[in-house]
Amino acid sequence: MTNIRLHEGGILALIHRQASKLMDTDNMYIALYDEATDTVRFPLAFVDGNRIDVTTTEGWQPRKAGKGRTEEIIRSKQPLFSATKAESEAWYGLPGHEEYVGRPFASWLGVPMMVGDKVLGVIATYHLTRDYVYNRDDREILQAMANQAAIALDNTRLFDDLQERIEELEGLQAVGMALTSESDLEQLLSRVTEKAAEVLEADLATVYLYDRATNEFYLPILVGAKSQPLPSKDGIAARVIEGGELVIAEDSFVHPLLKDSSFIRNRGVKSSAAIPLKYGKEPVGILFINYVREPHRFTDSDKRAIRIFADQAATAINMAGLLYDAKRQLETVQEVVRAVEVHAKLPDYLQSILNLTLGEVGARDGTIQLLDKATNELIIRARAGKLAQKSHEYERIPLSKGITGRAARDKQTAYASNIEQADDYLVYIEGTRSEIAVPMIIGRDQPGDGRLIGVLNVESPVADAFKPYSRGLLERIADQAAVLIQQKIEAEELEARRLAAEVSAGVGMVTAEVAHHVKNLAGIIRTCDKRLSTQLSGLTTQQVEDLNIILQNAQGIMEAADDLFKPYNPEPKAEVSIALILAEALSVIGAQPDIGIQVNLAPDLPRVQVQAQKIQSYIVEILDNAIKFTRRRLKKEGLERGQVEVSGTCVQGSMIELAFTNHGPAIARERWEGIFRLFSADAQGQSEPQSYGLGLWGARTALRLHGGDVYVLESNAHQTTFLMRLPV
């Protein structure tokens, strides 16, 4: 099978090449951290544009984690950025930093590479003499690269771990097959059965494999007979399996378990022994030793030999099964990875993963549900089988509901072998008897149980359909898919921000051109109006009044042209209080005679680094919409006064969320995304003229350029809430 992944060196070289396209990387290094040994090594370093040999160049050999900027990033799990040499010197002058190694550079930028809460290393780039080589946008870009690099490195380690496991199982299988050179399970069991018959001097020896899920026996291995019927589900073999112990019958015709057996009577079996083949407590087959010519007295030595042969057969069955399962899991995981290259779009990739998963576990119905961190809900993003044939009320599932919600909440596989006994089962389709929900987690074994991406959910019309192998395979697929899905999401977010910047710039250029011409035209009208007023005599009062109206309208058009371009004016980012931006937006809105605006902001909200005027203009846009549609409800129901609510919180110390709630008509769910498209109808379904700022499209574009977003959080008959998010 083709190796389609990069190893560590290739990943690190790729990071440097990509970063070099976007920023100065003449001086750059990547450090990897080993938590177990608390050491830092530097597999890649560039000095003055040249890659150096880190094995021989002084200062770049692996070291015990000590005191330095690299170790500070590892400990704090936060980026470190100094735009100027003065800032670097100030950092080294902080209390406790006097002993830190290194020296101040004019520009220095370092970011952590993390998977979940675990730091894998640090990417740093610097310039010795020039200030302001990097800015905060460079920090965001380098952090995004570091995040993807960490996932890629973790991915290579996952493959290595899986390959090591297969090599261990192959070694164990070789030990278990020491009696023979055969590697085929059927041939191996034949040799074990033949050896048992030879050592015990038996006339007939038989091994059957057992499927506990169906309570059926299969793959008969016969010694001393050419054919033999498979045991029934309620016959001797099933009862021996149920008893779980060696059964000895020195007189088969009177033994209570064997005396009524047609096989015993028809074949004339005088003495018999039967023993379950068990690996641990799990039965995997059964071994029969039969004597036809003469009765046999079983000695203690015979009983020990029977148990040894049973253990050998059980171990061989289990090792062969484990080896097969591990190889199949590896092939499936590689198919999951390969699908990334085939399907560029996230929805197509999710559907491919779901279809692959269902095929591997022999199921038809399933979903992939991704976590919406803003609402703490699971959103169905891919579906198959009966679940794909109709829309459903459970499109968005709170983590407090359902088996998938339980899996996401507990970050553990949730298995309902019989959904009639599962109190939290949500009825998606009729006929489901069992369901398994596997959380997709990055860094499952890390402190804090890793980062939840979503849930892989499979349903079956058969009770207890998902055995340990299926559960293990689903967990393996989910873990690998989580890493790749997150890569897709981050790549699409970066692409969305890039496109938003391009579109915003293009619209800004067009808008500026339109505003320029409109303003020129209004200026001409204004000049002509004034000239007519001074040159013409004997004008009537009405004519004078008409000329004044034209003059006022021309002035209004010029001001409107200025307003039209205002959202696209270049504006530097500044660190400001979101409460202050909101207060200024409210002052622009002004007091409304029939609408009250209730504001409830959490105390001590962190400041944000934004283009304040631009963000303010779009808050005004959203508030205008909220007032307009609440007023529409008042008019429809004959009410005198309504209310709009604004609330603000900080989520996990990294994102500020402002919720704007109006009490106007509901927005149909299928339009929640459409209202943010360029030149869409207004926010709640009416085809009215757009505002100068190009409405909600402009708001979303600007917020995404800031690393945030705006979207419909909920909409029903009573209220509609828009959620605006901005990074701290």
Side-chain angles (χ1 to χ4, degrees), residues 445-481:
D445 298 326
Q446 304 304 322
D449 296 328
R451 178 159 49 121
L452 178 70
I453 301 300
V455 173
L456 175 60
N457 182 61
V458 182
E459 300 186 22
S460 173
V462 178
D464 197 18
F466 305 105
K467 301 306 173 187
Y469 164 75
S470 296
R471 296 198 290 271
L473 177 60
L474 288 170
E475 288 172 354
R476 182 74 66 180
I477 292 174
D479 284 349
Q480 183 63 61

Side-chain angles (χ1 to χ4, degrees), residues 81-88 104-108 127-135:
F81 173 43
S82 299
T84 66
K85 187 170 184 178
E87 290 181 11
S88 291
F105 294 132
S107 297
W108 200 92
H127 198 284
L128 282 71
T129 59
R130 198 168 76 242
D131 290 345
Y132 298 110
V133 172
Y134 311 107
N135 56 37

Side-chain angles (χ1 to χ4, degrees), residues 117-177:
D117 291 326
K118 182 178 181 180
V119 180
L120 299 186
V122 171
I123 301 177
T125 184
Y126 56 94
H127 198 284
L128 282 71
T129 59
R130 198 168 76 242
D131 290 345
Y132 298 110
V133 172
Y134 311 107
N135 56 37
R136 294 184 183 277
D137 289 338
D138 294 327
R139 183 181 68 182
E140 292 180 7
I141 291 170
L142 196 61
Q143 185 64 72
M145 288 185 175
N147 292 342
Q148 294 200 28
I151 291 170
L153 288 171
D154 197 59
N155 184 28
T156 65
R157 294 173 184 178
L158 180 140
F159 269 88
D160 291 340
D161 290 344
L162 191 56
Q163 192 63 47
E164 284 181 10
R165 183 185 173 208
I166 287 182
E167 291 172 358
E168 290 174 0
L169 292 175
E170 287 176 333
L172 289 173
Q173 186 192 41
V175 172
M177 295 180 177

Side-chain angles (χ1 to χ4, degrees), residues 612-677:
Q613 290 297 320
K614 187 170 290 188
I615 298 302
Q616 175 191 315
S617 69
Y618 289 119
I619 290 178
V620 169
E621 177 74 36
I622 294 171
L623 284 171
D624 271 339
N625 273 330
I627 291 169
K628 177 169 61 176
F629 293 109
T630 299
R631 189 169 283 144
R632 188 173 293 173
R633 170 65 63 83
L634 298 183
K635 182 178 179 180
K636 180 180 179 180
E637 298 183 2
L639 302 175
E640 294 183 359
R641 188 165 180 80
Q643 183 168 281
V644 169
E645 295 95 27
V646 182
S647 62
T649 58
C650 183
V651 179
Q652 297 179 343
S654 62
M655 192 72 70
I656 287 180
E657 294 184 347
L658 293 180
F660 301 85
T661 300
N662 72 69
H663 298 277
I667 308 173
R669 181 180 287 274
E670 61 269 17
R671 297 199 64 251
W672 284 14
E673 282 299 309
I675 61 177
F676 291 97
R677 296 193 185 103

